[in-house]
Amino acid sequence: MAIVSDHPSSHRSSSDPARRPGEEEILDWLQEDRPERLELLWRQADRVRHQNVGDAVHLRGLIEISNHCTRRCAYCGVRAPNRRARRYRMTPQQILECVHLAVERGFGTVVLQSGEDPRHTGGWVADLVGRIKGETPLAVTLSLGERTAEDLVLWRQAGADRYLLRFETSNRELYDRVHPPAKGTVSDRIALLRLLREIGYEVGSGIMIGLWGQSWQDLATDIALFAKLDLDMIGLGPYIPHPDTPMAQHPDRYRLPPERQVPADELTTHKALALARILCPEVNIPATTAMTTINPEQGLELALSRGANVFMPNLTPDDHRARYTIYPSKTSLVHRDEESYHHLQHRLQALGREVGAGRGDSVRYSRRHP
């Protein structure tokens, strides 16, 4: 169904969001600021979501298993040089306790997330994944950073179902500035995403909105790349500066002039979210933690009404969760107790949505693997 504006533009011609937009159309919509036009974008994204992935909101139990990391990423609070970070590693038994809590809550998936921790060897992670798959019916998603092909194959053989690896930006020059490669390696996350697809994972990636140094054209190219990569999951959220990082301490080294720099705000994030849904109708898209951090009261509802269909309640124990500070003031909606979980259910019901049953594989992945 075509959407057309009743109000001609005074400074640009926005495109029709009812069909998959090209890169220039994406750029127009990202810079659109008229509320009546944006309302059409929100409605179309929600309609595409409803028609392609339904009204269920699939819950993934997030477990932040370690904040140790060997990398020196310029924006991340758990970067290796940050001596103010209070480091921790969860034991396999602690992780399994969280996994079984996810089963009790009726979640279909657990997400194991960490920095690039050298103690998480291929064998250690494979053993952990094997125990989860042996003890529960859950799908297992890994988000452990850039790993060797041998590790990725081993974990898939152990039963891991999905892998999340954000490419963060398609601008190679910007990527190299904010993602120094590990010693003796070349960082190529696009190649890794393709390898993950070949290995058989359900593959997720994503970006930060308003990363300092990200231009409007960069962001439009990022969103167009989602479709080219044939992703199953797309995660995006606003860039939130961490005070103990080079980007926050030396912003003028990274930021573009105001007219070129993408703002790291809620509205721009929602535009990117809606466009990602329209461009990739069958993928799973979460309402991310960063979205609920910048708007604790309505961030979840707004994201779910503008294209998202997944949410990741945090099951990390409180003492560890407080240390997983990839950015400051991280507001994780924690659902370790029944009262908070029931509150989440009521919030979803108020939107006319329901908690999804089962693993919640992406429609696109299920089509490729019937």
Side-chain angles (χ1 to χ4, degrees), residues 90-108:
M90 292 178 64
T91 67
Q93 188 56 43
Q94 290 173 323
I95 295 168
L96 284 165
E97 289 174 1
C98 296
V99 168
H100 285 286
L101 180 58
V103 175
E104 292 176 20
R105 294 284 177 268
F107 298 173

Side-chain angles (χ1 to χ4, degrees), residues 110-123:
V110 286
V111 180
L112 307 184
Q113 184 178 72
S114 77
E116 292 186 21
D117 189 338
R119 296 277 186 90
H120 291 166
T121 63

Side-chain angles (χ1 to χ4, degrees), residues 17-21 44-54 226-227 230-234 273-285 307-309 362-365 367:
R19 56 185 174 81
R20 295 189 184 185
Q44 182 61 19
D46 197 45
R47 185 180 300 115
V48 170
R49 185 271 310 159
H50 170 74
Q51 292 172 345
N52 288 274
V53 298
F226 291 153
D230 194 23
L231 298 172
D232 303 302
M233 302 170 282
I234 295 172
L273 168 65
L275 289 163
R277 170 57 68 197
I278 292 167
L279 195 67
C280 306
E282 296 180 335
V283 302
N284 283 328
I285 302 179
N309 71 311
S362 81
V363 173
R364 194 155 190 80
Y365 183 82
R367 194 184 307 282

Side-chain angles (χ1 to χ4, degrees), residues 13 15 19 25 33 51-52 86 123 128 131 136 154 159 161 211 221-222 226 257 260 267 270 295 298 346 350:
S13 175
S15 308
R19 56 185 174 81
E25 295 172 290
D33 55 12
Q51 292 172 345
N52 288 274
R86 296 183 300 140
L128 177 62
R131 290 186 64 181
T136 78
L154 180 63
D161 301 278
L211 179 70
T221 302
D222 291 343
F226 291 153
R260 295 186 58 217
L267 179 60
H270 287 162
N295 186 348
Q298 291 186 302
H346 291 318

Side-chain angles (χ1 to χ4, degrees), residues 139-209:
V140 175
T141 299
L142 301 178
S143 181
L144 307 178
E146 299 174 38
R147 304 297 297 238
T148 66
E150 291 77 13
D151 283 350
L152 296 172
V153 169
L154 180 63
W155 299 342
R156 177 67 178 141
Q157 292 172 340
D161 301 278
R162 305 173 186 140
Y163 204 96
L164 302 178
L165 182 70
R166 291 191 177 195
F167 64 81
E168 301 297 14
T169 173
S170 57
N171 180 329
R172 185 71 212 195
E173 180 181 356
L174 176 59
Y175 180 86
D176 289 339
R177 290 178 66 202
V178 303
H179 282 274
K183 187 176 181 180
T185 69
V186 176
S187 179
D188 189 342
R189 292 195 172 191
I190 302 300
L192 270 176
L193 290 169
R194 291 175 176 138
L195 175 62
L196 289 163
R197 166 79 69 238
E198 293 173 7
I199 293 171
Y201 284 98
E202 190 173 347
V203 180
S205 192
I207 57 174
M208 283 182 287
I209 309 300

Side-chain angles (χ1 to χ4, degrees), residues 57-64 98 101-102 105 107-111 286-289 300 310-316 321 332-337 340-341 344-345 348 355:
V57 177
H58 293 284
L59 303 181
R60 324 300 204 192
L62 177 62
I63 310 171
E64 297 156 332
C98 296
L101 180 58
R105 294 284 177 268
F107 298 173
T109 299
V110 286
V111 180
T288 58
T289 301
L300 173 62
V310 169
F311 180 61
M312 296 192 290
N314 198 317
L315 300 181
T316 310
R321 180 172 46 82
S332 298
L333 296 185
V334 183
H335 297 285
R336 292 182 58 83
D337 61 88
S340 62
Y341 177 57
L344 171 62
Q345 289 178 307
L348 297 181
V355 174

Side-chain angles (χ1 to χ4, degrees), residues 64-72 76-83 85-91 113-120 124 143-147 320 323-326:
E64 297 156 332
I65 65 176
S66 169
N67 71 346
H68 286 263
C69 191
T70 61
R71 303 299 292 272
R72 307 170 66 87
C76 183
V78 302
R79 63 194 306 266
N82 183 9
R83 296 187 177 182
R86 296 183 300 140
R87 306 293 178 175
Y88 73 89
R89 290 185 179 98
M90 292 178 64
T91 67
Q113 184 178 72
S114 77
E116 292 186 21
D117 189 338
R119 296 277 186 90
H120 291 166
W124 188 91
S143 181
L144 307 178
E146 299 174 38
R147 304 297 297 238
H320 297 314
R323 300 183 186 188
Y324 197 80
T325 52
I326 52 179

